[in-house]
Amino acid sequence: QVDVVESGGGLVQPGGSLGLSCTASGRIFVVGVMAWFRQAPGKERELVASITSRGEADYRDSVKGRFTIARDNAKNAVFLQMNSLKPEDTAVYYCNVDAKYSLYSTYQEYWGQGTQVTVSS
């Protein structure tokens, strides 16, 4: 079993910054891709940013240049720094982790519980 725990989030004014953190723990042999998703009320969950174990990052177009994803492989942690926040960034943000528990197992996907980010004046 793998536990994924997020922290950060909260209320911020438009143009402000916020940072999210996520750590995976438990029965882990290796962590693959780590990612952040978000889901706004009435909308589908969408991929915000992802990062491979080698540090290769990818972003959805609407956050490029404003958000930065990073990871600490030693701690099985991933971070999302969000700058120049806009009201349309308001959503519940979820951490997503691909992990395997042994050399010969397959990657499984794990989700955090979500953390609310609200951008409002």
Side-chain angles (χ1 to χ4, degrees), residues 5-9 19-23 36 77-80 95 115:
V5 179
E6 301 123 336
S7 61
L20 304 180
S21 299
C22 169
T23 301
W36 289 95
V78 62
F79 312 95
L80 186 68
C95 180
T115 185

Side-chain angles (χ1 to χ4, degrees), residues 72-95:
D72 183 336
N73 289 333
K75 297 181 178 179
N76 293 330
V78 62
F79 312 95
L80 186 68
Q81 179 63 37
M82 304 180 290
N83 299 326
S84 303
L85 282 161
K86 305 175 181 180
E88 50 265 41
D89 294 318
T90 296
V92 177
Y93 283 70
Y94 296 91
C95 180

Side-chain angles (χ1 to χ4, degrees), residues 18-82:
L18 213 53
L20 304 180
S21 299
C22 169
T23 301
S25 62
R27 194 181 178 193
I28 296 173
F29 175 74
V30 67
V31 174
V33 175
M34 305 181 84
W36 289 95
F37 285 72
R38 68 186 180 188
Q39 187 167 20
K43 295 188 177 181
E44 294 189 353
R45 190 172 297 190
E46 62 185 21
L47 176 63
V48 176
S50 64
I51 186 167
T52 70
S53 58
R54 296 195 294 183
E56 298 155 329
D58 195 22
Y59 302 89
R60 70 180 302 104
D61 287 345
S62 61
V63 307
K64 284 181 180 177
R66 300 188 298 121
F67 290 12
T68 301
I69 189 170
R71 65 188 282 170
D72 183 336
N73 289 333
K75 297 181 178 179
N76 293 330
V78 62
F79 312 95
L80 186 68
Q81 179 63 37
M82 304 180 290

